[in-house]
Amino acid sequence: MANASWFFTTPTVPTLRRKIQPPIGIYRSGFCSSHGISKRVFFCSGAINQGAEKLSPSESRVPRLVSQGCKLVGCGSAVPALKISNDDLSKIVETSDEWISVRTGIRNRRVLSGKDSLTALSVEAARKALEMAQVDPDDVDLVLMCTSTPEDLFGSAPQIQKALGCKRNPLAYDITAACSGFVLGLVSAACHIRGGGFKNVLVIGADSLSRYVDWTDRGTCILFGDAAGAVVVQACENEEDGLFGFDLHSDGDGQRHLNASIKENETDHALGTNGSVLDFPPRHSSYSCIQMNGKEVFRFAVRCVPQSIESALVQAGIPSSSIDWLLLHQANQRIIDAVATRLEIPQKRVISNLANYGNTSAASIPLALDEAVRSGKVRAGHTIAAAGFGAGLTWGSAIVRWG
């Protein structure tokens, strides 16, 4: 594995000034081209009309034409009880609190233990979000579980839907995009609302990367923690729309820099094939521990994230000076600082809780958002530039308004 300590270096980051042309995408409350020609009428279900009677699962939904926006109306989060400090890690690998905190900004992280489960954390975060939004679980139209570490090969979202008590059997599915997952979930929720007629979409970001960490590798084990965060995205009138612009990308060529690839079970090689056809039956497989080239991931983040945010701002038609808060995936404090510097956003407008939780992958943005909202830092009407980046490689940003 490549040396991940390069992940902690600080490159020179000149201010980003070049103009980035807006890509084709969703602009404010409708789909548009880069020429600003908007088509804001969609074909969707009539079952979500205000005041309409709820249909049973067996009844078909009558399509109708609607035009609507979406907004963020509730958030919640949950973390495991077990807290692992840098001093705790220094007892199992050659490191120290000073070495970790100076290079990453991390001092503690939470880790699943005992009978804890990621699904239970996700349900807890979802319940808090629904409570804040004053939305009954039975009024949820869609559950999006953004995770790369589901507790079932076929996805965890349906189990969350079941645990929440959603009696109408709403659609629930997983989105796998590592640390960018939550941003992709937000955009997906907006698309379902704007183009599919959904009213209440629950977006959950949750990961338990501690299960895929090599706890003897100080280059990676110091970085990751477990958590869950959730938001409720709700349909609204066009003039209240709260997703102003977004920018999403992936680059499979970068997979070599950050991955947890599938591997064959070594015990199967020793057992042999018992005279069966060569290479059949297939050997049992599992996933390797996280492998990361820290130097390349750092370079990728400080180069691509500011460009993505600027593209989303251009699409939204607002200047960076209008941003109340910069909310990045909580991977490394030096990355957060470098991006803020490049975008000329002062530290007092940057949200960071990395020191307390480490890198929680898809959970990091909703976890930090929930703490900022509940502490009174983020208030209704505030504009947030959020960006995720990570394995895939994937990255994306969204300009949103809270409340």
Side-chain angles (χ1 to χ4, degrees):
M1 173 180 153
N3 186 357
S5 64
W6 281 100
F7 189 61
F8 316 120
T9 61
T10 305
T12 302
V13 284
T15 300
L16 185 66
R17 294 188 181 276
R18 69 182 181 87
K19 184 175 179 63
I20 300 174
Q21 295 301 318
I24 294 174
I26 291 181
Y27 176 77
R28 293 184 180 268
S29 58
F31 290 90
C32 77
S33 73
S34 58
H35 300 291
I37 301 173
S38 177
K39 294 183 178 180
R40 298 165 60 180
V41 180
F42 305 103
F43 208 51
C44 77
S45 164
I48 51 77
N49 283 347
Q50 291 184 354
E53 294 183 0
K54 293 178 182 177
L55 302 178
S56 68
S58 61
E59 292 182 83
S60 62
R61 299 188 173 206
V62 180
R64 71 180 196 82
L65 293 173
V66 301
S67 177
Q68 58 186 358
C70 63
K71 59 183 180 180
L72 280 63
V73 294
C75 58
S77 62
V79 297
L82 179 61
K83 181 168 71 173
I84 303 297
S85 68
N86 291 345
D87 288 332
D88 293 328
L89 288 180
S90 69
K91 298 173 184 178
I92 61 174
V93 291
E94 186 180 348
T95 190
S96 67
D97 175 62
E98 181 182 9
W99 193 92
I100 298 172
S101 60
V102 167
R103 289 164 176 78
T104 70
I106 301 169
R107 291 192 175 276
N108 297 288
R109 71 282 297 146
R110 300 299 183 95
V111 175
L112 289 173
S113 63
K115 295 183 179 180
D116 290 345
S117 74
L118 188 65
T119 300
L121 282 184
S122 301
V123 171
E124 181 182 347
R127 288 192 190 282
K128 291 177 180 177
L130 290 170
E131 181 180 352
M132 180 184 289
Q134 297 183 327
V135 172
D136 188 273
D138 200 34
D139 291 326
V140 172
D141 299 303
L142 174 65
V143 178
L144 299 176
M145 173 63 163
C146 308
T147 184
S148 296
T149 55
E151 293 176 325
D152 188 305
L153 176 64
F154 302 115
S156 294
Q159 293 305 307
I160 295 170
Q161 175 239 66
K162 174 187 175 183
L164 289 173
C166 304
K167 298 182 178 65
R168 294 191 298 120
N169 296 325
L171 175 64
Y173 65 89
D174 286 20
I175 294 176
T176 302
C179 305
S180 305
F182 181 75
V183 173
L184 270 65
L186 278 182
V187 175
S188 297
C191 291
H192 279 288
I193 289 172
R194 291 167 168 171
F198 290 74
K199 183 176 181 181
N200 294 304
V201 179
L202 182 61
V203 183
I204 303 165
D207 268 308
S208 53
L209 290 181
S210 67
R211 293 168 169 170
Y212 299 92
V213 164
D214 178 357
W215 290 98
T216 67
D217 174 19
R218 76 166 185 171
T220 55
C221 76
I222 64 173
L223 299 173
F224 299 102
D226 306 331
V231 299
V232 176
V233 184
Q234 190 173 74
C236 64
E237 297 297 325
N238 279 325
E239 57 269 21
E240 298 177 344
D241 187 54
L243 174 59
F244 301 139
F246 66 85
D247 179 74
L248 305 173
H249 298 275
S250 62
D251 179 10
D253 187 57
Q255 185 263 355
R256 66 186 189 276
H257 301 313
L258 179 56
N259 61 77
S261 301
I262 200 166
K263 64 177 183 179
E264 293 181 346
N265 191 330
E266 294 297 326
T267 59
D268 286 355
H269 289 277
L271 294 175
T273 61
N274 293 323
S276 63
V277 178
L278 184 63
D279 291 330
F280 183 84
R283 298 184 178 94
H284 291 290
S285 300
S286 60
Y287 290 98
S288 69
C289 291
I290 296 170
Q291 307 291 309
M292 184 180 70
N293 182 329
K295 178 181 179 180
E296 292 300 327
V297 172
F298 196 107
R299 286 176 173 174
F300 146 70
V302 299
R303 180 182 71 254
C304 293
V305 173
Q307 292 177 355
S308 179
I309 292 174
E310 287 213 338
S311 291
L313 285 169
V314 169
Q315 190 185 92
I318 62 175
S320 60
S321 59
S322 296
I323 297 174
D324 294 300
W325 299 103
L326 177 65
L327 175 53
L328 302 181
H329 163 52
Q330 308 287 292
N332 182 298
Q333 192 60 46
R334 290 185 174 181
I335 292 178
I336 296 172
D337 293 343
V339 172
T341 298
R342 199 166 180 182
L343 292 170
E344 299 182 322
I345 296 176
Q347 287 298 316
K348 65 181 181 180
R349 287 162 50 199
V350 178
I351 297 173
S352 176
N353 65 354
L354 178 69
N356 297 324
Y357 302 108
N359 181 343
T360 56
S361 191
S364 73
I365 292 176
L367 172 61
L369 174 64
D370 183 50
E371 288 194 342
V373 169
R374 293 179 186 275
S375 68
K377 180 181 290 187
V378 172
R379 299 189 300 274
H382 280 183
T383 299
I384 304 168
F389 53 91
L393 295 171
T394 59
W395 67 101
S397 59
I399 312 302
V400 300
R401 179 174 58 219
W402 174 254

